[in-house]
Amino acid sequence: MRRWSFAAVVLSLAMMSASCALTPPGFTNPDTQTLTLSPAEAAVRVGSAQPFAPSLAGKSWTWSVNGFAGGNATLGTIDANGNYSAPAVLPTPNTITIAAAETAKPSEAASSAVTLLNPIPVVTGISPPQVNVGTFTLTITGSEFVNGATVSFGGTTLTTSFASSTQLTASGTATPAQVGAVTVAVMNPDPGAIGSNDMNAQVVGTISVAANVADRFLEQTTFGPTTALITQVQYSGLQGFLTAQYALPITKYPLPASGESGLGAVQQRFFVQNLTAQDQLRQRVAFALSQIFVIGGAKVTDPTGYTNYLQLLENDAFTNYRQIMQDVTLSPAMGDWLDMVNNGKPNTSKGDHANENYAREFMQLFTIGTSQLNPDGTYQLDSGGNQIATYTQNTVEAFALAYTGWTYPLAPGATQQTYNPAYWTGPMVAVDSNHDTTAKQLLVYSGVSGGGMLPAGGSAAQDLQGALDNVFNHPNVGPFVSNELIQHLVTSNPSPAYIQRVASVFDDNGSGVRGDMKAVITAILMDPEARRGDDPATAVGTDGHLQEPILYMTGILRAFGTASDGSNLAYYGSGMGQEALYAPSVFNFYSPSYVIPGTTMYGPEFQILTTATSLNRVNWTNSFVFGSIGPGTTVSFSSYATQASNPSALLGSLNTLMLHGSMSSDMQSSILTAMQAVPAGSKQGLQQAQMAIYLIGTSSQYQVQH
């Protein structure tokens, strides 16, 4: 018999034990793992669900909510698989703890923190669906409403009462400006404040203005009438529309993207802004101001600099002309354009002198003009019948010295220098060591403060304020500025009486304030001379103005609800004599005093109307109506094509939209003949509508607005 020695047995057992102790790489004994729940934290809306999972598999778990096994209706429930269902009503407090414990070993447990949030409200009905202008009460039906929910009406929060999770009542006031579809939504409060889907209510009112009157008013106050705005003005009235426009928030030009260079993209945004912004009056006035306080892209090439300048004008459009004067003066874009930036005090020992460019143009073009004016804008004459100059070369030199010592804004992280490098955000900054501190004789006129003298020793800021005040209070400013704004908004040939009425409002808005832009704009637009063409029978042939290319294009695009990214429009405008943002000089694209050849009438915009630019207008309209002006612009004429079966009705619609009802009988007859000549076919209606739109858009009656 073979015998095993005791030592061999012991050795064999030891080896077996060692072998059993070996484990594969990465293996962790489950008994040594830490239990966790996923997710560790969660935000769950009431009525919603959230699954939780333990980090250890193959075990049986007991789930609880705040220590209650399986949870309850107040805190929410959780099943054996870790699926948590939030309660139907938000508990207080709104934080709970989800826990899982190993059934066989309760000490092995983990938890997750849960924040319960209010549900997402859903709106399914609005009663009544239509309300009148004035006070109203709505009943909102839906689901998931909670106590504290509010109803918004066109972005305005209404006084809201909670009835149940399926019903709210809300009251407020609808304005004439809201006539049409208005968005209604419900907002549940914190925790987890969130809005519902949108539904529309309709605001209706009493028509107080004829459609043709509303259309003509919109020609003067916007970048082109639209059917929706015509309806709004019909219900709100002219003054109501102005009041609503003054109250709208500013639609700001977007800032350029990082690394953007050149003005191409800014030009595109310029057109998108003017085509789509709700605050149309502000944008239209800012455009007029940009043609008084002119800068141009040939020199101001930085997209941020130019955008900031456009924002400045829209920000100031409804402020005070004195504010505009100051903000423009300190704009780095204007400083670059007319050389006020880095205009240092002269070294008289070397015969240097301060740069006079801004000082001269500020008076000549922005504020007082070159000749003394009467309150009605006519020229004052001396005993010899000659115009009287408003300033001399010595005056220009004095203002040039007053404007010394300003440099570009300080870039973040940079060190102030006498001449900062170009930076375009914020106003220019003063460097007093580079400012001329001698006494300066400015404009002299009746009632001028201090005899028009800036005393010696003033800082750059003090002299700037003194110089601006000296110009602002000159008696020429009211009639000079009023005339230019009237020309841009209403008519090229305002009567002296019209100018004087507006200038008197510029001088005093009725409350002792000089330069109030809202008061001046209202006076311009509501003046009897501005409104006398509302009835075609009372129209005067010398009233109105030729549409400049930018307004010509935006007017047609807006009339037909065109969607555009603005691409190609600056190019087309250039062919018509007006490339957006590229005024050729400080004198703008055209002079306000340009006289139409062969007449005695002013026609500023006619200065850029030549045989070539006239043809380019027609070609652009042809491309827009019958073809394409680029892939970034789309339009549909289908709604007018459906009216072509009744040509008279179609022309009536277009007459109101494009000509404020002033289409002559000869023009109607000619267009009807052209429409009838369109051959039969599946697209006859569309082609007839296009023919009518093209003929109206290229007509002199459309291009010259009366």
Short mmCIF file of all heavy atoms in Angstrom, two decimals, residues 610-669:
data_model
loop_
_atom_site.label_atom_id
_atom_site.label_comp_id
_atom_site.label_asym_id
_atom_site.label_seq_id
_atom_site.Cartn_x
_atom_site.Cartn_y
_atom_site.Cartn_z
N THR A 610 -30.40 108.98 -62.25
CA THR A 610 -29.86 109.18 -63.58
C THR A 610 -30.49 108.16 -64.52
O THR A 610 -31.28 107.30 -64.09
CB THR A 610 -28.34 108.99 -63.58
OG1 THR A 610 -28.05 107.61 -63.25
CG2 THR A 610 -27.67 109.91 -62.56
N THR A 611 -30.13 108.22 -65.78
CA THR A 611 -30.63 107.22 -66.72
C THR A 611 -30.25 105.82 -66.27
O THR A 611 -31.07 104.89 -66.28
CB THR A 611 -30.07 107.49 -68.13
OG1 THR A 611 -30.43 108.81 -68.54
CG2 THR A 611 -30.60 106.47 -69.12
N ALA A 612 -29.00 105.67 -65.83
CA ALA A 612 -28.52 104.35 -65.41
C ALA A 612 -29.20 103.89 -64.13
O ALA A 612 -29.65 102.73 -64.04
CB ALA A 612 -27.01 104.38 -65.22
N THR A 613 -29.29 104.75 -63.12
CA THR A 613 -29.90 104.31 -61.86
C THR A 613 -31.40 104.09 -62.01
O THR A 613 -31.97 103.23 -61.34
CB THR A 613 -29.63 105.33 -60.73
OG1 THR A 613 -30.19 106.61 -61.07
CG2 THR A 613 -28.13 105.49 -60.49
N SER A 614 -32.05 104.85 -62.90
CA SER A 614 -33.48 104.62 -63.16
C SER A 614 -33.70 103.24 -63.75
O SER A 614 -34.62 102.52 -63.35
CB SER A 614 -34.02 105.68 -64.12
OG SER A 614 -33.93 106.97 -63.57
N LEU A 615 -32.84 102.88 -64.71
CA LEU A 615 -32.96 101.57 -65.33
C LEU A 615 -32.69 100.46 -64.33
O LEU A 615 -33.35 99.42 -64.34
CB LEU A 615 -31.98 101.46 -66.50
CG LEU A 615 -32.04 100.16 -67.33
CD1 LEU A 615 -33.43 99.96 -67.92
CD2 LEU A 615 -30.98 100.18 -68.42
N ASN A 616 -31.75 100.68 -63.41
CA ASN A 616 -31.45 99.67 -62.39
C ASN A 616 -32.61 99.48 -61.43
O ASN A 616 -32.83 98.36 -60.92
CB ASN A 616 -30.18 100.06 -61.63
CG ASN A 616 -28.93 99.82 -62.45
OD1 ASN A 616 -28.91 99.00 -63.36
ND2 ASN A 616 -27.86 100.56 -62.14
N ARG A 617 -33.37 100.51 -61.17
CA ARG A 617 -34.59 100.36 -60.35
C ARG A 617 -35.57 99.41 -61.05
O ARG A 617 -36.12 98.49 -60.44
CB ARG A 617 -35.26 101.72 -60.13
CG ARG A 617 -34.57 102.65 -59.15
CD ARG A 617 -35.34 103.95 -59.05
NE ARG A 617 -34.74 104.88 -58.10
CZ ARG A 617 -35.39 105.43 -57.08
NH1 ARG A 617 -36.66 105.14 -56.87
NH2 ARG A 617 -34.78 106.26 -56.27
N VAL A 618 -35.78 99.65 -62.33
CA VAL A 618 -36.72 98.82 -63.09
C VAL A 618 -36.22 97.38 -63.15
O VAL A 618 -37.00 96.43 -62.96
CB VAL A 618 -36.89 99.41 -64.50
CG1 VAL A 618 -37.75 98.48 -65.37
CG2 VAL A 618 -37.54 100.79 -64.44
N ASN A 619 -34.93 97.21 -63.40
CA ASN A 619 -34.38 95.85 -63.50
C ASN A 619 -34.49 95.10 -62.18
O ASN A 619 -34.77 93.90 -62.14
CB ASN A 619 -32.91 95.91 -63.95
CG ASN A 619 -32.78 96.29 -65.41
OD1 ASN A 619 -33.72 96.15 -66.19
ND2 ASN A 619 -31.61 96.79 -65.80
N TRP A 620 -34.24 95.81 -61.08
CA TRP A 620 -34.36 95.16 -59.76
C TRP A 620 -35.79 94.71 -59.51
O TRP A 620 -36.03 93.58 -59.07
CB TRP A 620 -33.93 96.12 -58.65
CG TRP A 620 -34.09 95.52 -57.29
CD1 TRP A 620 -33.20 94.72 -56.64
CD2 TRP A 620 -35.22 95.65 -56.41
NE1 TRP A 620 -33.70 94.34 -55.41
CE2 TRP A 620 -34.94 94.89 -55.25
CE3 TRP A 620 -36.43 96.33 -56.48
CZ2 TRP A 620 -35.83 94.81 -54.18
CZ3 TRP A 620 -37.32 96.24 -55.42
CH2 TRP A 620 -37.02 95.49 -54.28
N THR A 621 -36.74 95.56 -59.82
CA THR A 621 -38.15 95.21 -59.60
C THR A 621 -38.55 94.05 -60.49
O THR A 621 -39.29 93.14 -60.07
CB THR A 621 -39.05 96.42 -59.86
OG1 THR A 621 -38.58 97.54 -59.10
CG2 THR A 621 -40.49 96.13 -59.49
N ASN A 622 -38.06 94.04 -61.73
CA ASN A 622 -38.35 92.93 -62.63
C ASN A 622 -37.81 91.61 -62.06
O ASN A 622 -38.50 90.59 -62.06
CB ASN A 622 -37.73 93.20 -64.00
CG ASN A 622 -37.98 92.08 -64.99
OD1 ASN A 622 -39.08 91.93 -65.51
ND2 ASN A 622 -36.97 91.27 -65.24
N SER A 623 -36.58 91.66 -61.55
CA SER A 623 -35.99 90.44 -60.96
C SER A 623 -36.76 90.00 -59.73
O SER A 623 -37.01 88.80 -59.53
CB SER A 623 -34.52 90.69 -60.60
OG SER A 623 -33.75 90.96 -61.74
N PHE A 624 -37.16 90.94 -58.91
CA PHE A 624 -37.88 90.60 -57.69
C PHE A 624 -39.23 89.96 -58.01
O PHE A 624 -39.62 88.95 -57.41
CB PHE A 624 -38.09 91.84 -56.83
CG PHE A 624 -39.02 91.64 -55.67
CD1 PHE A 624 -38.65 90.86 -54.59
CD2 PHE A 624 -40.29 92.20 -55.67
CE1 PHE A 624 -39.51 90.64 -53.52
CE2 PHE A 624 -41.16 92.00 -54.61
CZ PHE A 624 -40.77 91.22 -53.54
N VAL A 625 -39.96 90.53 -58.96
CA VAL A 625 -41.33 90.08 -59.24
C VAL A 625 -41.35 88.81 -60.09
O VAL A 625 -42.09 87.87 -59.80
CB VAL A 625 -42.13 91.20 -59.92
CG1 VAL A 625 -43.53 90.69 -60.32
CG2 VAL A 625 -42.25 92.41 -59.01
N PHE A 626 -40.51 88.77 -61.12
CA PHE A 626 -40.59 87.67 -62.08
C PHE A 626 -39.50 86.62 -61.90
O PHE A 626 -39.62 85.53 -62.45
CB PHE A 626 -40.52 88.21 -63.51
CG PHE A 626 -41.70 89.04 -63.89
CD1 PHE A 626 -41.58 90.41 -64.02
CD2 PHE A 626 -42.94 88.46 -64.12
CE1 PHE A 626 -42.67 91.20 -64.39
CE2 PHE A 626 -44.04 89.24 -64.48
CZ PHE A 626 -43.91 90.61 -64.61
N GLY A 627 -38.44 86.96 -61.17
CA GLY A 627 -37.32 86.03 -61.04
C GLY A 627 -36.84 85.91 -59.61
O GLY A 627 -37.58 85.45 -58.73
N SER A 628 -35.62 86.38 -59.37
CA SER A 628 -35.04 86.27 -58.03
C SER A 628 -33.99 87.35 -57.86
O SER A 628 -33.28 87.70 -58.81
CB SER A 628 -34.40 84.89 -57.82
OG SER A 628 -33.67 84.85 -56.61
N ILE A 629 -33.89 87.88 -56.66
CA ILE A 629 -32.81 88.82 -56.34
C ILE A 629 -31.77 88.14 -55.46
O ILE A 629 -30.92 88.81 -54.88
CB ILE A 629 -33.35 90.10 -55.67
CG1 ILE A 629 -34.12 89.79 -54.39
CG2 ILE A 629 -34.21 90.89 -56.64
CD1 ILE A 629 -34.53 91.03 -53.61
N GLY A 630 -31.84 86.83 -55.36
CA GLY A 630 -30.85 86.07 -54.60
C GLY A 630 -31.51 85.00 -53.76
O GLY A 630 -32.69 85.11 -53.38
N PRO A 631 -30.75 83.95 -53.44
CA PRO A 631 -31.33 82.84 -52.67
C PRO A 631 -31.72 83.21 -51.25
O PRO A 631 -32.48 82.49 -50.61
CB PRO A 631 -30.20 81.80 -52.68
CG PRO A 631 -28.95 82.60 -52.89
CD PRO A 631 -29.34 83.73 -53.79
N GLY A 632 -31.23 84.33 -50.74
CA GLY A 632 -31.57 84.74 -49.38
C GLY A 632 -32.88 85.48 -49.27
O GLY A 632 -33.27 85.89 -48.17
N THR A 633 -33.55 85.69 -50.38
CA THR A 633 -34.81 86.44 -50.39
C THR A 633 -35.90 85.62 -51.06
O THR A 633 -35.72 85.19 -52.21
CB THR A 633 -34.64 87.78 -51.11
OG1 THR A 633 -33.63 88.56 -50.44
CG2 THR A 633 -35.94 88.57 -51.12
N THR A 634 -37.00 85.40 -50.37
CA THR A 634 -38.11 84.64 -50.93
C THR A 634 -39.42 85.39 -50.73
O THR A 634 -39.61 86.09 -49.74
CB THR A 634 -38.22 83.25 -50.27
OG1 THR A 634 -38.37 83.42 -48.84
CG2 THR A 634 -36.98 82.41 -50.53
N VAL A 635 -40.32 85.22 -51.69
CA VAL A 635 -41.62 85.90 -51.63
C VAL A 635 -42.64 85.05 -52.35
O VAL A 635 -42.31 84.28 -53.26
CB VAL A 635 -41.53 87.31 -52.27
CG1 VAL A 635 -41.24 87.21 -53.76
CG2 VAL A 635 -42.80 88.11 -52.02
N SER A 636 -43.89 85.17 -51.94
CA SER A 636 -44.99 84.48 -52.62
C SER A 636 -46.06 85.51 -52.97
O SER A 636 -46.47 86.31 -52.13
CB SER A 636 -45.59 83.40 -51.72
OG SER A 636 -46.75 82.86 -52.32
N PHE A 637 -46.49 85.47 -54.21
CA PHE A 637 -47.57 86.34 -54.67
C PHE A 637 -48.88 85.57 -54.80
O PHE A 637 -49.82 86.03 -55.46
CB PHE A 637 -47.20 86.97 -56.02
CG PHE A 637 -45.96 87.81 -55.98
CD1 PHE A 637 -44.81 87.40 -56.64
CD2 PHE A 637 -45.92 89.01 -55.28
CE1 PHE A 637 -43.65 88.17 -56.61
CE2 PHE A 637 -44.79 89.78 -55.24
CZ PHE A 637 -43.64 89.36 -55.91
N SER A 638 -48.96 84.39 -54.20
CA SER A 638 -50.11 83.51 -54.39
C SER A 638 -51.42 84.15 -53.94
O SER A 638 -52.47 83.94 -54.57
CB SER A 638 -49.90 82.19 -53.66
OG SER A 638 -49.70 82.40 -52.27
N SER A 639 -51.38 84.93 -52.85
CA SER A 639 -52.63 85.53 -52.37
C SER A 639 -53.18 86.54 -53.37
O SER A 639 -54.40 86.75 -53.44
CB SER A 639 -52.41 86.20 -51.02
OG SER A 639 -51.48 87.27 -51.13
N TYR A 640 -52.29 87.17 -54.14
CA TYR A 640 -52.75 88.11 -55.16
C TYR A 640 -53.13 87.38 -56.44
O TYR A 640 -54.01 87.83 -57.19
CB TYR A 640 -51.68 89.18 -55.42
CG TYR A 640 -51.49 90.06 -54.22
CD1 TYR A 640 -50.52 89.78 -53.27
CD2 TYR A 640 -52.32 91.16 -54.00
CE1 TYR A 640 -50.36 90.57 -52.14
CE2 TYR A 640 -52.17 91.96 -52.89
CZ TYR A 640 -51.20 91.66 -51.95
OH TYR A 640 -51.06 92.44 -50.83
N ALA A 641 -52.48 86.24 -56.69
CA ALA A 641 -52.83 85.44 -57.87
C ALA A 641 -54.28 84.98 -57.79
O ALA A 641 -54.99 84.91 -58.80
CB ALA A 641 -51.89 84.25 -57.99
N THR A 642 -54.75 84.66 -56.59
CA THR A 642 -56.13 84.19 -56.43
C THR A 642 -57.14 85.31 -56.69
O THR A 642 -58.32 85.03 -56.93
CB THR A 642 -56.35 83.63 -55.01
OG1 THR A 642 -56.07 84.66 -54.05
CG2 THR A 642 -55.43 82.45 -54.75
N GLN A 643 -56.68 86.56 -56.61
CA GLN A 643 -57.59 87.69 -56.86
C GLN A 643 -57.64 88.08 -58.34
O GLN A 643 -58.44 88.91 -58.75
CB GLN A 643 -57.14 88.91 -56.06
CG GLN A 643 -57.11 88.73 -54.55
CD GLN A 643 -56.62 89.98 -53.84
OE1 GLN A 643 -57.04 91.09 -54.14
NE2 GLN A 643 -55.71 89.79 -52.89
N ALA A 644 -56.73 87.48 -59.14
CA ALA A 644 -56.61 87.89 -60.54
C ALA A 644 -57.87 87.60 -61.35
O ALA A 644 -58.10 88.23 -62.39
CB ALA A 644 -55.40 87.22 -61.18
N SER A 645 -58.70 86.67 -60.88
CA SER A 645 -59.95 86.39 -61.60
C SER A 645 -60.88 87.60 -61.57
O SER A 645 -61.80 87.71 -62.38
CB SER A 645 -60.64 85.17 -61.00
OG SER A 645 -60.92 85.38 -59.62
N ASN A 646 -60.64 88.50 -60.61
CA ASN A 646 -61.39 89.75 -60.54
C ASN A 646 -60.37 90.88 -60.61
O ASN A 646 -59.94 91.41 -59.59
CB ASN A 646 -62.19 89.82 -59.24
CG ASN A 646 -63.10 91.05 -59.18
OD1 ASN A 646 -62.89 92.04 -59.89
ND2 ASN A 646 -64.10 90.99 -58.32
N PRO A 647 -59.94 91.26 -61.81
CA PRO A 647 -58.84 92.23 -61.95
C PRO A 647 -59.08 93.54 -61.22
O PRO A 647 -58.16 94.13 -60.66
CB PRO A 647 -58.75 92.43 -63.47
CG PRO A 647 -59.31 91.18 -64.05
CD PRO A 647 -60.42 90.78 -63.11
N SER A 648 -60.31 94.01 -61.23
CA SER A 648 -60.60 95.29 -60.56
C SER A 648 -60.36 95.19 -59.05
O SER A 648 -59.81 96.11 -58.42
CB SER A 648 -62.04 95.72 -60.83
OG SER A 648 -62.22 95.97 -62.20
N ALA A 649 -60.76 94.05 -58.47
CA ALA A 649 -60.53 93.85 -57.04
C ALA A 649 -59.04 93.75 -56.74
O ALA A 649 -58.56 94.28 -55.73
CB ALA A 649 -61.25 92.59 -56.57
N LEU A 650 -58.31 93.05 -57.62
CA LEU A 650 -56.87 92.94 -57.43
C LEU A 650 -56.21 94.32 -57.47
O LEU A 650 -55.40 94.66 -56.60
CB LEU A 650 -56.27 92.05 -58.51
CG LEU A 650 -54.73 92.01 -58.58
CD1 LEU A 650 -54.14 91.49 -57.29
CD2 LEU A 650 -54.28 91.15 -59.76
N LEU A 651 -56.56 95.11 -58.46
CA LEU A 651 -55.98 96.45 -58.55
C LEU A 651 -56.38 97.30 -57.35
O LEU A 651 -55.61 98.14 -56.90
CB LEU A 651 -56.43 97.13 -59.85
CG LEU A 651 -55.67 96.73 -61.12
CD1 LEU A 651 -56.11 97.60 -62.30
CD2 LEU A 651 -54.17 96.86 -60.92
N GLY A 652 -57.59 97.10 -56.85
CA GLY A 652 -58.00 97.84 -55.67
C GLY A 652 -57.13 97.53 -54.47
O GLY A 652 -56.72 98.43 -53.73
N SER A 653 -56.82 96.24 -54.27
CA SER A 653 -55.94 95.85 -53.16
C SER A 653 -54.55 96.46 -53.32
O SER A 653 -53.97 97.00 -52.37
CB SER A 653 -55.83 94.33 -53.10
OG SER A 653 -57.07 93.73 -52.82
N LEU A 654 -54.00 96.35 -54.53
CA LEU A 654 -52.66 96.88 -54.78
C LEU A 654 -52.64 98.40 -54.72
O LEU A 654 -51.64 99.00 -54.28
CB LEU A 654 -52.16 96.39 -56.14
CG LEU A 654 -51.93 94.88 -56.25
CD1 LEU A 654 -51.56 94.51 -57.68
CD2 LEU A 654 -50.83 94.43 -55.29
N ASN A 655 -53.72 99.03 -55.14
CA ASN A 655 -53.81 100.49 -55.08
C ASN A 655 -53.72 100.97 -53.64
O ASN A 655 -53.02 101.93 -53.33
CB ASN A 655 -55.13 100.94 -55.72
CG ASN A 655 -55.23 102.46 -55.83
OD1 ASN A 655 -54.24 103.18 -55.73
ND2 ASN A 655 -56.45 102.94 -56.05
N THR A 656 -54.42 100.28 -52.74
CA THR A 656 -54.37 100.65 -51.32
C THR A 656 -53.00 100.38 -50.73
O THR A 656 -52.43 101.23 -50.04
CB THR A 656 -55.43 99.87 -50.52
OG1 THR A 656 -56.72 100.20 -51.01
CG2 THR A 656 -55.34 100.19 -49.04
N LEU A 657 -52.45 99.21 -51.01
CA LEU A 657 -51.18 98.79 -50.40
C LEU A 657 -50.00 99.59 -50.91
O LEU A 657 -49.11 99.96 -50.13
CB LEU A 657 -50.95 97.31 -50.67
CG LEU A 657 -49.66 96.69 -50.13
CD1 LEU A 657 -49.64 96.74 -48.61
CD2 LEU A 657 -49.51 95.26 -50.62
N MET A 658 -49.96 99.88 -52.20
CA MET A 658 -48.77 100.49 -52.79
C MET A 658 -48.92 101.97 -53.09
O MET A 658 -47.92 102.69 -53.17
CB MET A 658 -48.40 99.74 -54.08
CG MET A 658 -48.12 98.26 -53.88
SD MET A 658 -47.68 97.39 -55.42
CE MET A 658 -46.03 98.01 -55.71
N LEU A 659 -50.15 102.45 -53.25
CA LEU A 659 -50.33 103.84 -53.70
C LEU A 659 -51.31 104.62 -52.84
O LEU A 659 -51.78 105.68 -53.25
CB LEU A 659 -50.82 103.86 -55.16
CG LEU A 659 -49.82 103.38 -56.21
CD1 LEU A 659 -50.51 103.24 -57.56
CD2 LEU A 659 -48.64 104.33 -56.31
N HIS A 660 -51.62 104.11 -51.64
CA HIS A 660 -52.62 104.71 -50.75
C HIS A 660 -53.84 105.23 -51.50
O HIS A 660 -54.36 106.33 -51.21
CB HIS A 660 -52.00 105.78 -49.83
CG HIS A 660 -51.28 106.91 -50.54
ND1 HIS A 660 -49.92 106.92 -50.68
CD2 HIS A 660 -51.72 108.06 -51.10
CE1 HIS A 660 -49.55 108.02 -51.31
NE2 HIS A 660 -50.63 108.73 -51.58
N GLY A 661 -54.30 104.43 -52.46
CA GLY A 661 -55.54 104.75 -53.16
C GLY A 661 -55.44 105.86 -54.17
O GLY A 661 -56.48 106.37 -54.63
N SER A 662 -54.22 106.24 -54.58
CA SER A 662 -54.08 107.40 -55.47
C SER A 662 -53.87 107.03 -56.93
O SER A 662 -53.55 107.90 -57.74
CB SER A 662 -52.89 108.25 -54.99
OG SER A 662 -51.67 107.53 -55.11
N MET A 663 -54.04 105.77 -57.30
CA MET A 663 -53.81 105.36 -58.68
C MET A 663 -54.75 106.11 -59.63
O MET A 663 -55.96 106.17 -59.42
CB MET A 663 -54.03 103.86 -58.83
CG MET A 663 -53.68 103.31 -60.21
SD MET A 663 -54.07 101.54 -60.41
CE MET A 663 -52.99 100.80 -59.19
N SER A 664 -54.17 106.69 -60.67
CA SER A 664 -54.98 107.45 -61.64
C SER A 664 -55.80 106.50 -62.49
O SER A 664 -55.47 105.32 -62.66
CB SER A 664 -54.07 108.30 -62.53
OG SER A 664 -53.27 107.46 -63.36
N SER A 665 -56.87 107.01 -63.07
CA SER A 665 -57.73 106.18 -63.92
C SER A 665 -56.97 105.72 -65.16
O SER A 665 -57.17 104.59 -65.63
CB SER A 665 -58.98 106.97 -64.32
OG SER A 665 -58.63 108.17 -65.00
N ASP A 666 -56.09 106.55 -65.71
CA ASP A 666 -55.29 106.15 -66.87
C ASP A 666 -54.37 104.99 -66.52
O ASP A 666 -54.20 104.06 -67.32
CB ASP A 666 -54.46 107.32 -67.38
CG ASP A 666 -55.30 108.38 -68.09
OD1 ASP A 666 -56.45 108.07 -68.44
OD2 ASP A 666 -54.79 109.50 -68.27
N MET A 667 -53.79 105.04 -65.33
CA MET A 667 -52.90 103.97 -64.90
C MET A 667 -53.69 102.67 -64.73
O MET A 667 -53.24 101.59 -65.15
CB MET A 667 -52.21 104.36 -63.60
CG MET A 667 -51.17 103.36 -63.11
SD MET A 667 -50.30 104.00 -61.65
CE MET A 667 -49.21 102.64 -61.28
N GLN A 668 -54.84 102.74 -64.11
CA GLN A 668 -55.67 101.54 -63.94
C GLN A 668 -56.01 100.92 -65.29
O GLN A 668 -55.93 99.71 -65.48
CB GLN A 668 -56.95 101.89 -63.19
CG GLN A 668 -56.73 102.27 -61.74
CD GLN A 668 -58.04 102.48 -61.00
OE1 GLN A 668 -58.93 101.64 -61.07
NE2 GLN A 668 -58.17 103.58 -60.28
N SER A 669 -56.38 101.75 -66.24
CA SER A 669 -56.76 101.25 -67.56
C SER A 669 -55.58 100.58 -68.25
O SER A 669 -55.72 99.50 -68.84
CB SER A 669 -57.27 102.42 -68.42
OG SER A 669 -57.57 101.98 -69.72
#
